[in-house]
Amino acid sequence: MVPLLLLPLLWGGSVQEMAGYGLEVQESVAVKACMDVRVTCSFSYPWNSGYPWYYSAELFTYWFREKDQHTNDAVATNDPSKRVKPETRGRFSLLGDPSNNDCSLSIRQARLSDSGVYYFRVERGRDMRYSYRDKKLNLQVTGKPDIHFLEPLESGRPTKLTCTLSLACDEPHPLLFSWAGDALDAMKPDTLHSSELTLTPRPQDHGTNLTCRVTFQQVTLERTVLLNVSYIPRNLHISLSFRNVTAHRILQNTASILISEGQALQLLCVADSNPSAQLSWFQGSPTLEATPISSTGVLEIPQVPAGDGEVTCRAQNPLGSQQVSFSLSVQKGPPPCSCETEEQQGSWPLVLTLIRGALMGAGFLLTYGLTWTYYTR
């Protein structure tokens, strides 16, 4: 027969719970710094009907912070003789009537230093004193610093960034700042431990993260922003396709393309910029007021006319522009031999493979014949 005292352990409870002690409380609560929160709580405890003084004894309830056990100070209580922590006095208070089994807790102007684990305790008379350790309140007070700077960020223009942590409800404490991010890889490490930072953004910094960390009473808070860096068009290049073959190469200024008269030609212009650039095609070298022959990144020429010519792609955004030009050298008749198709190019590997196989076969037969002659002599 299993002893009665062991049954609670088998059931995953405790002897006190089986004796009538119980607590219902939200075990994890998160609140933003300087905000108010109410934690709903109810409890139960056994009554002893054999002692008349038990009914007349006053019921006292307490909330303690777990790490403050050495001080024995409560954070909230209805016991006038009990010492309350100065940091929580007036901000932590009991709600409702404990005689109605209400242990709800009110927290006003939560501070980062309030984060921690709390437990509830009840006392009545000389013999009923119990701390509810099976269920505890885990309070997390959250906060984030703010990063301020003038937007938009522009490549090559120094910009001052400021990191601040506003906790008006908390007591003043020293703040330790630090910065992190790919955009800071060229900066001296000793400049990254201040609340202010001067950043000269680069095009490659666009779309990267910048983080400010603030350490406050052994708690580290951080804020991360996504950098939006504006820069003029760059890395402008053109790809072309003709006779259903695409040439994957970058055409530089003054590049020349040899093409047959009447051939279909498609040109694609691409540029890296922020904000996105307006792409336009022009005939010849355009002036600022020139009219484009195409207002997109694609220029299609169904039939290339006779005569040489020059075309230009221009990429422009509010910060500036970049352009690339190249010449079209048009010849009459079929295209030159350098424009042979993939089928013509692809036939040579097959011929070489067949020749290599024939030579290997002949070598094998020769070796076999010599070996047979040697052993049969």
Side-chain angles (χ1 to χ4, degrees):
M1 181 176 180
V2 180
L4 292 178
L5 289 178
L6 294 180
L7 287 176
L9 300 179
L10 297 177
W11 294 337
S14 65
V15 176
Q16 289 83 351
E17 286 176 334
M18 296 303 298
Y21 291 95
L23 184 71
E24 295 294 332
V25 64
Q26 186 176 348
E27 297 184 55
S28 180
V29 174
V31 59
K32 291 183 179 181
C34 299
M35 301 297 291
D36 302 341
V37 64
R38 172 175 176 165
V39 182
T40 303
C41 174
S42 63
F43 69 101
S44 60
Y45 62 97
W47 281 71
N48 193 335
S49 58
Y51 299 93
W53 56 264
Y54 193 89
Y55 294 96
S56 60
E58 190 172 357
L59 177 65
F60 293 117
T61 57
Y62 312 82
W63 277 100
F64 289 93
R65 185 170 182 173
E66 196 166 60
K67 75 173 187 178
D68 297 333
Q69 296 179 14
H70 61 283
T71 65
N72 201 31
D73 291 343
V75 297
T77 181
N78 64 340
D79 184 354
S81 64
K82 183 65 176 176
R83 176 180 169 85
V84 178
K85 290 183 63 176
E87 301 93 316
T88 62
R89 184 182 297 117
R91 296 190 304 111
F92 284 55
S93 59
L94 296 171
L95 295 173
D97 187 355
S99 62
N100 292 330
N101 304 98
D102 191 347
C103 53
S104 298
L105 179 66
S106 171
I107 302 174
R108 296 189 307 105
Q109 295 186 345
R111 300 176 180 176
L112 293 174
S113 55
D114 294 333
S115 295
V117 178
Y118 298 80
Y119 66 91
F120 181 70
R121 178 176 174 84
V122 62
E123 295 182 3
R124 190 166 196 172
R126 297 186 301 271
D127 300 323
M128 202 277 285
R129 300 169 182 265
Y130 179 70
S131 295
Y132 296 80
R133 299 282 190 171
D134 296 318
K135 285 190 177 181
K136 301 174 184 179
L137 167 64
N138 185 355
L139 178 65
Q140 294 294 327
V141 182
T142 62
K144 285 188 176 183
D146 294 313
I147 300 177
H148 305 276
F149 57 92
L150 292 178
E151 295 187 275
L153 295 174
E154 185 176 329
S155 176
R157 186 183 68 185
T159 302
K160 185 174 75 172
L161 296 88
T162 304
C163 184
T164 61
L165 180 63
S166 178
L167 297 174
C169 62
D170 216 325
E171 298 178 356
H173 292 278
L175 302 179
L176 300 178
F177 293 87
S178 64
W179 298 84
D182 292 340
L184 311 178
D185 57 3
M187 299 186 64
K188 296 181 179 179
D190 56 354
T191 64
L192 305 180
H193 297 281
S194 171
S195 61
E196 292 186 354
L197 180 72
T198 300
L199 174 67
T200 303
R202 305 160 299 183
Q204 60 266 34
D205 298 330
H206 175 65
T208 63
N209 290 330
L210 181 69
T211 301
C212 171
R213 296 187 178 97
V214 182
T215 301
F216 169 82
Q217 288 189 316
Q218 299 182 345
V219 177
T220 299
L221 308 173
E222 66 178 40
R223 168 81 68 175
T224 299
V225 295
L226 188 67
L227 297 182
N228 182 12
V229 181
S230 299
Y231 53 94
I232 64 174
R234 62 173 192 158
N235 299 334
L236 185 63
H237 67 272
I238 297 170
S239 62
L240 60 94
S241 63
F242 57 95
R243 298 188 63 188
N244 298 324
V245 178
T246 301
H248 296 285
R249 61 192 180 99
I250 299 175
L251 301 180
Q252 304 293 341
N253 278 326
T254 70
S256 179
I257 302 299
L258 186 61
I259 189 171
S260 298
E261 180 184 351
Q263 196 169 9
L265 179 66
Q266 183 184 73
L267 302 171
L268 175 64
C269 184
V270 179
D272 174 29
S273 67
N274 186 46
S276 298
Q278 172 65 46
L279 298 170
S280 303
W281 285 95
F282 298 87
Q283 189 169 2
S285 298
T287 62
L288 292 177
E289 304 299 329
T291 302
I293 56 177
S294 175
S295 298
T296 67
V298 179
L299 176 62
E300 293 187 358
I301 306 176
Q303 289 186 338
V304 176
D308 297 344
E310 184 182 48
V311 290
T312 300
C313 175
R314 175 193 290 167
Q316 185 167 3
N317 70 4
L319 300 180
S321 65
Q322 184 186 14
Q323 66 185 38
V324 60
S325 303
F326 65 94
S327 301
L328 290 176
S329 297
V330 182
Q331 67 172 10
K332 294 184 179 182
C337 297
S338 60
C339 298
E340 62 184 351
T341 63
E342 291 183 357
E343 294 179 355
Q344 293 171 326
Q345 294 176 353
S347 61
W348 283 107
L350 177 59
V351 173
L352 294 176
T353 301
L354 293 175
I355 295 174
R356 187 185 304 128
L359 293 175
M360 291 178 63
F364 175 79
L365 292 176
L366 179 60
T367 302
Y368 179 82
L370 293 175
T371 304
W372 182 83
T373 301
Y374 177 81
Y375 285 101
T376 57
R377 291 178 63 182

